[in-house]
Amino acid sequence: MKQVAKRISVFVLAIAVCMTLFSVPAQAREIIVTQGNFEITLYQDEESYGSAIITKYTGNESTVVLPSTVTYKNNKIPILGVKEEVFQNKQSIKKVVIPDGYQFIGEFAFKGCNNLTEMVIGNTLMSMGHAFVGCPNLKTYRIANSATNDVYFVNSGMGTMELAQTTDDPRVDIQGVEAHVVRGSIADQQIQMINESSKRLGGYQIKLIYEADPTGDHGKKDDPEPKNPYDKGASYSRADKAITKYSSEKDVPGSFYGLLQLKQKKVKKNAIKVAWKKVPGAVKYAFYATNCGKKNKYVKHGITTGTSRNYKKICGKKLKKGKYYKFIVIAIDKNNKVVSTSKTVHVATKGGKVTNDKRVKTKVKKNKKTIKVKKTFKIKAKEVKPKKGKVKRHRPIKYESLNPKVASVNGKGVVKGASKGKTYVFAYAQNGVAAKVKVTVK
């Protein structure tokens, strides 16, 4: 009974945390979008669509694959979860696939789905409550590498241990459940703990089946994790931890200008808008900012599927006129891996003595150049600033080749042909504005 009581308190705490994490802002505007058989509600705050959840289902498929995103006004917005009772008593459902990106499934969402036999769970799910109570045939679970913070099996159709009054309560009996997991994963460890508890409490036992990729979402075995947390293929969680400890005015190691091309877009006395390019393979972008200064650490200000961010507050404080701030963006793929990390961009608000560069110009004719393999030429680039105000230089113009295998460039703008082909070389200022030189190597 003490063990049961302990689980009750843990469960109640988990629900409280879930409600805190996924509560909708009081001033958010609701927008309902229909996508296939799903009705999805978007919650719009002052600057973006902060969240989207599934609120209705009208289909009769035997296999229900929850959508990862919803498209609205040409923007793809990630779906975070499912509202309570959405799929309740849907007898057609036999299998449910919860993809990466989902963080919660609401109370009793699949209650009474008597024919449901299999559930596939992605990497990011944090809580399910009693979503699968009353699903007597749900006995096969396929769980991704890093899921989860919740114990699914005692919250499933076999009953909920948290509601049991005694150790021999039939609602605790979940014999015959199969959990397909990666050996050593979080889910594996949690199920081991459940099975260990069963020796003391009795009434349930989960069969572990180890698979390299039980969800089938990730295809071939992942490449080894890069040492540099900002490099392509590194887990976003590592990059996030690293960047929030980073305070230097220099670019983070492994950052790249050519993909994201992060730059100043629009500046006011009390607001700065930055923008970036869509990156192939990226499904979302995490954005960071702080005050300029060597001791100021970056703060995460959110994640979006869009390609711009308008800052009115940074680090919780309103922007001040005539002050410099610095920004970084990370592109992330569907598996929560880094695709690219931007260069640091320094931008000043209006209304003070300082200003920002308007553009970058070069002396390369029409910004095009043809050279031979192993031959060189120099890009002479210069920032162009407004007539009024002074630009406080955090760093000089920098150069970068989009494809060094075709043509490389050094810190002084000297370009060298490496192999036949075409590429671009960027000369970019501290606020991200750039000149792009097309280089053809013959």
Side-chain angles (χ1 to χ4, degrees):
M1 284 300 293
K2 290 182 179 180
Q3 292 290 334
V4 173
K6 183 177 180 180
R7 285 185 178 270
I8 292 174
S9 63
V10 170
F11 177 73
V12 171
L13 177 61
I15 291 297
V17 170
C18 181
M19 291 177 67
T20 301
L21 284 171
F22 306 111
S23 58
V24 178
Q27 297 179 345
R29 183 167 71 97
E30 296 184 12
I31 298 171
I32 297 175
V33 177
T34 299
Q35 184 168 287
N37 293 317
F38 299 94
E39 182 182 277
I40 301 163
T41 300
L42 314 181
Y43 298 95
Q44 184 185 27
D45 57 27
E46 293 180 354
E47 298 176 346
S48 65
Y49 300 97
S51 59
I53 66 171
I54 293 175
T55 48
K56 190 176 180 180
Y57 173 73
T58 58
N60 292 298
E61 295 99 338
S62 59
T63 298
V64 175
V65 180
L66 303 185
S68 299
T69 61
V70 57
T71 301
Y72 182 71
K73 291 185 176 180
N74 296 322
N75 291 317
K76 286 188 176 182
I77 300 157
I79 299 173
L80 300 183
V82 176
K83 187 180 178 182
E84 63 272 10
E85 302 179 359
V86 169
F87 299 91
Q88 195 171 99
N89 298 320
K90 280 283 184 181
Q91 303 307 316
S92 60
I93 300 176
K94 295 181 180 180
K95 179 179 177 180
V96 175
V97 179
I98 304 171
D100 290 352
Y102 275 70
Q103 299 179 19
F104 70 100
I105 305 294
E107 285 281 286
F108 309 120
F110 291 87
K111 181 180 179 182
C113 294
N114 296 323
N115 295 310
L116 178 60
T117 61
E118 181 179 352
M119 182 165 62
V120 181
I121 305 166
N123 270 300
T124 55
L125 199 64
M126 294 177 65
S127 180
M128 291 194 334
H130 299 86
F132 292 87
V133 167
C135 300
N137 294 305
L138 177 55
K139 293 189 176 182
T140 301
Y141 299 78
R142 302 184 189 278
I143 310 173
N145 251 328
S146 60
T148 170
N149 293 330
D150 205 351
V151 177
Y152 299 125
F153 314 99
V154 294
N155 289 334
S156 70
M158 271 50 73
T160 58
M161 181 177 172
E162 288 82 1
L163 300 179
Q165 300 299 312
T166 65
T167 56
D168 59 354
D169 191 305
R171 288 176 295 179
V172 181
D173 187 3
I174 55 175
Q175 301 286 347
V177 170
E178 291 184 355
H180 299 247
V181 300
V182 175
R183 187 181 297 275
S185 66
I186 295 173
D188 179 17
Q189 297 171 30
Q190 290 188 331
I191 298 161
Q192 297 278 18
M193 292 173 63
I194 293 173
N195 286 341
E196 180 65 27
S197 299
S198 72
K199 295 177 182 178
R200 299 189 298 272
L201 296 178
Y204 59 93
Q205 188 70 28
I206 299 165
K207 182 179 179 181
L208 275 169
I209 299 175
Y210 293 113
E211 296 182 17
D213 184 16
T215 64
D217 288 338
H218 306 296
K220 298 179 181 179
K221 187 176 180 181
D222 291 339
D223 293 330
E225 179 84 8
K227 292 182 179 180
N228 184 352
Y230 307 110
D231 282 348
K232 182 177 180 180
S235 64
Y236 168 62
S237 59
R238 283 183 62 215
D240 180 66
K241 289 179 181 178
I243 206 165
T244 51
K245 294 179 181 178
Y246 194 82
S247 61
S248 174
E249 297 285 82
K250 297 180 180 180
D251 296 318
V252 298
S255 57
F256 193 67
Y257 177 82
L259 289 178
L260 283 157
Q261 297 181 39
L262 177 63
K263 66 178 180 179
Q264 162 200 329
K265 185 69 174 179
K266 192 174 182 180
V267 176
K268 297 180 179 180
K269 289 182 180 180
N270 57 357
I272 293 174
K273 185 176 184 179
V274 295
W276 56 89
K277 299 285 187 179
K278 285 187 176 181
V279 176
V283 298
K284 54 189 175 182
Y285 304 89
F287 44 92
Y288 301 79
T290 188
N291 302 315
C292 281
K294 295 180 180 180
K295 295 183 179 180
N296 295 324
K297 295 180 180 179
Y298 283 93
V299 174
K300 181 179 177 180
H301 285 76
I303 293 180
T304 182
T305 56
T307 55
S308 65
R309 172 68 177 180
N310 188 40
Y311 288 88
K312 293 182 179 180
K313 288 184 177 181
I314 287 180
C315 302
K317 295 182 180 181
K318 292 182 179 180
L319 273 64
K320 296 181 180 180
K321 66 179 183 179
K323 184 174 180 179
Y324 276 99
Y325 298 88
K326 55 186 178 181
F327 307 86
I328 285 177
V329 170
I330 298 177
I332 308 163
D333 68 14
K334 65 179 182 179
N335 296 319
N336 281 323
K337 301 286 188 180
V338 173
V339 180
S340 185
T341 302
S342 78
K343 295 293 184 179
T344 298
V345 165
H346 303 267
V347 184
T349 50
K350 287 186 175 181
K353 296 180 180 180
V354 292
T355 187
N356 304 292
D357 294 311
K358 291 174 60 179
R359 61 189 178 91
V360 173
K361 67 177 182 179
T362 76
K363 291 187 176 182
V364 180
K365 188 176 181 180
K366 295 184 179 181
N367 279 334
K368 294 180 180 179
K369 185 72 174 180
T370 299
I371 59 173
K372 294 182 178 180
V373 175
K374 294 184 180 181
K375 295 298 182 180
T376 65
F377 77 98
K378 185 174 183 179
I379 297 176
K380 294 182 179 180
K382 184 179 180 181
E383 306 102 327
V384 179
K385 72 176 187 65
K387 292 181 180 179
K388 294 182 179 180
K390 181 180 180 181
V391 177
K392 181 181 178 181
R393 297 292 172 199
H394 293 79
R395 62 165 174 77
I397 281 184
K398 287 198 171 185
Y399 300 88
E400 181 180 285
S401 172
L402 192 59
N403 187 353
K405 292 182 179 180
V406 173
S408 62
V409 62
N410 66 17
K412 294 182 179 180
V414 177
V415 180
K416 183 177 182 180
S419 63
K420 292 182 180 181
K422 295 180 181 180
T423 189
Y424 289 96
V425 174
F426 297 95
Y428 57 96
Q430 65 183 27
N431 63 335
V433 296
K436 184 170 68 171
V437 177
K438 185 177 181 180
V439 179
T440 301
V441 181
K442 290 186 176 181

